[in-house]
Amino acid sequence: MVQNADLHLFGVDYLAQSRGFDEEVEAHLSKHDVANDQKYRYEFMKIRQQLRRFDFLRHVADMDSLIYAQFISQEIGMGVFAHKQMPKSTVVGLYSGYIRKGADDTAYAWAYPHKDRSLSLDGRHAGNLLRFVNDYPPYNCQAFTLPLNGRWQIVYITTKFIHQGEQLSISYGSHYWTKRS
């Protein structure tokens, strides 16, 4: 079983929360007030009631007690599995990585919601265990974009009851598969 502390074995620096890749990106991000971004406000409103049911930050900090990564096969690589049962609407954690301009390889990157659309949240070289969650239907998690600590964060939340030992899965979206073909 692989935990966040073991990510260095894969050449990955552990990041609890995302950060800018360099000073230029950090300066760019600091000028953007996510509280005034209307585009993603609707998504936040949709799940605000779910987030009130539990201490959001405690669950984010507790990721290692919820999940672990494990090798599946040469073809698939790693996957993420539940340490224990998780009810529907459980916050699994924040997808973390470097926020950077573009991404040459999108294998571990999400589009970062920003007005100029040139940024991505890339977990290839730094991040956490959520980088190993596979696109494997039927999906049992969903990614939501939420404002937290002045930045947009991508949070994984369960969409159904997950049994101990069950693999977590999420849709990467059609754009991901189009870019990889």
Side-chain angles (χ1 to χ4, degrees), residues 10-155:
F10 299 90
V12 176
D13 295 328
Y14 171 68
L15 288 180
Q17 289 191 32
S18 299
R19 65 178 183 175
F21 179 67
D22 56 28
E23 290 179 21
E24 180 184 353
V25 173
E26 277 294 330
H28 189 67
L29 290 169
S30 67
K31 295 176 188 174
H32 182 71
D33 183 1
V34 299
N36 294 325
D37 195 338
Q38 296 294 318
K39 182 173 182 181
Y40 292 91
R41 196 171 285 196
Y42 173 73
E43 188 167 351
F44 176 67
M45 297 302 285
K46 284 192 307 190
I47 66 166
R48 184 169 56 179
Q49 292 302 321
Q50 293 174 352
L51 293 176
R52 286 184 181 163
R53 289 189 215 151
F54 42 75
D55 179 353
F56 177 67
L57 291 176
R58 182 180 64 78
H59 282 272
V60 169
D62 228 8
M63 185 188 307
D64 278 341
S65 72
L66 293 176
I67 60 173
Y68 62 93
Q70 180 176 304
F71 181 77
I72 297 173
S73 70
Q74 287 293 338
E75 180 183 347
I76 296 172
M78 302 293 286
V80 173
F81 298 83
H83 260 308
K84 57 187 176 184
Q85 296 178 349
M86 288 185 266
K88 180 180 178 180
S89 301
T90 297
V91 171
V92 180
L94 299 175
Y95 185 93
S96 66
Y98 289 130
I99 302 166
R100 60 187 325 144
K101 288 188 177 181
D104 296 332
D105 184 348
T106 60
Y108 296 96
W110 286 95
Y112 184 80
H114 195 268
K115 61 185 174 185
D116 66 14
R117 298 188 165 274
S118 68
L119 300 177
S120 63
L121 176 53
D122 188 355
R124 176 167 290 285
H125 300 290
N128 58 33
L129 291 179
L130 294 179
R131 70 192 296 280
F132 295 123
V133 175
N134 292 311
D135 183 322
Y136 184 78
Y139 306 116
N140 54 20
C141 292
Q142 186 172 353
F144 291 91
T145 304
L146 302 175
L148 181 66
N149 298 331
R151 300 265 167 93
W152 287 114
Q153 304 289 338
I154 295 174
V155 60

